[in-house]
């Protein structure tokens, strides 16, 4: 339990430092500057080569925290995927007080993304309980918080 607390605190500290660090804006503007300097075909080739070095990605997207409507109908859940040459992609999105996760895996891994998905709710609950031990966190009762289902896909998997 103590190891989990230390790990959670180190993650929180890392992301806080990243938020206040000039690293992200410098990288963003440097990439934009480089895009204007080098020919497009070189830039695209470079991106493809760099992308092949990434094997896994976790993305976290904050969505609207209240229910939204489209054409008069309420949207119950949001989900998104990134289809790219990655071994595994985990996409988290929060919406209307819930957190959902989408999993996309390369079929060459010969693994079932549902094997990862089956641990989602339990892991989310453990993380939530551990996080709520710290001052300043606003705890919700179990009925109010919700780790929604996971959609797990690979290009060969039918939904």
């Amino acid at each position: 339990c103590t190891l989990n607390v230390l790990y959670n605190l180190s993650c929180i500290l890392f992301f806080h430092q990243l938020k206040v660090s000039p690293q992200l804006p410098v990288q963003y503007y440097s990439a934009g500057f480089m895009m204007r300097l080098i020919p497009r075909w070189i830039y695209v080739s470079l991106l493809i080569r760099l992308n092949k070095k990434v094997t896994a990605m976790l993305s976290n997207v904050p969505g609207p925290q209240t229910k939204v409507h489209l054409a008069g109908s309420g949207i119950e859940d949001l989900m998104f995927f990134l289809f790219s040459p990655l071994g595994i992609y985990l996409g988290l999105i929060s919406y209307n007080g819930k957190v959902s996760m989408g999993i996309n895996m390369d079929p060459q891994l010969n693994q079932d993304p549902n094997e990862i998905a089956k641990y989602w709710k339990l892991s989310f609950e453990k993380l939530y309980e551990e996080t709520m031990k710290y001052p300043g966190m606003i705890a919700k009762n179990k009925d109010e918080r919700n780790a929604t289902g996971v959609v797990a896909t690979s290009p060969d998997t039918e939904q």
Side-chain angles (χ1 to χ4, degrees):
C1 184
T2 305
L3 188 58
N4 286 341
V5 171
L6 291 175
Y7 179 73
N8 288 343
L9 286 175
S10 69
C11 288
I12 290 168
L13 181 61
F14 170 77
F15 285 111
H16 177 69
Q17 289 172 339
L18 195 57
K19 288 178 188 177
V20 297
S21 167
Q23 178 182 351
L24 293 177
V26 168
Q27 285 177 335
Y28 175 79
Y29 290 110
S30 297
F33 178 72
M34 292 302 291
M35 273 182 62
R36 290 188 295 274
L37 287 180
I38 61 176
R40 184 174 174 82
W41 68 271
I42 293 175
Y43 186 74
V44 169
S45 173
L46 194 65
L47 282 177
I48 290 170
R49 220 176 295 148
L50 290 174
N51 200 19
K52 287 182 180 178
K53 296 189 182 298
V54 176
T55 56
M57 182 181 289
L58 171 67
S59 181
N60 178 22
V61 176
Q65 293 308 299
T66 57
K67 190 170 189 172
V68 295
H69 293 78
L70 179 65
S73 296
I75 297 175
E76 297 302 318
D77 199 5
L78 292 179
M79 186 67 58
F80 71 97
F81 293 95
L82 175 71
F83 295 102
S84 68
L86 297 174
I88 183 170
Y89 172 77
L90 306 171
L92 299 169
I93 187 165
S94 60
Y95 169 67
N96 196 20
K98 299 177 182 179
V99 178
S100 301
M101 179 174 66
I103 302 172
N104 189 10
M105 294 179 75
D106 187 329
Q108 291 180 349
L109 293 176
N110 293 321
Q111 299 294 320
D112 181 7
N114 290 299
E115 287 300 309
I116 294 171
K118 71 182 180 184
Y119 297 105
W120 164 239
K121 269 193 155 175
L122 178 62
S123 298
F124 180 85
E125 285 297 324
K126 285 181 179 179
L127 178 63
Y128 184 89
E129 295 297 330
E130 194 66 36
T131 304
M132 289 301 113
K133 293 178 183 177
Y134 297 96
M137 298 297 181
I138 301 170
K140 294 182 177 182
N141 67 41
K142 198 164 187 148
D143 294 332
E144 291 178 309
R145 67 179 183 262
N146 192 358
T148 63
V150 177
V151 177
T153 67
S154 71
D156 294 344
T157 305
E158 291 289 324
Q159 284 295 312

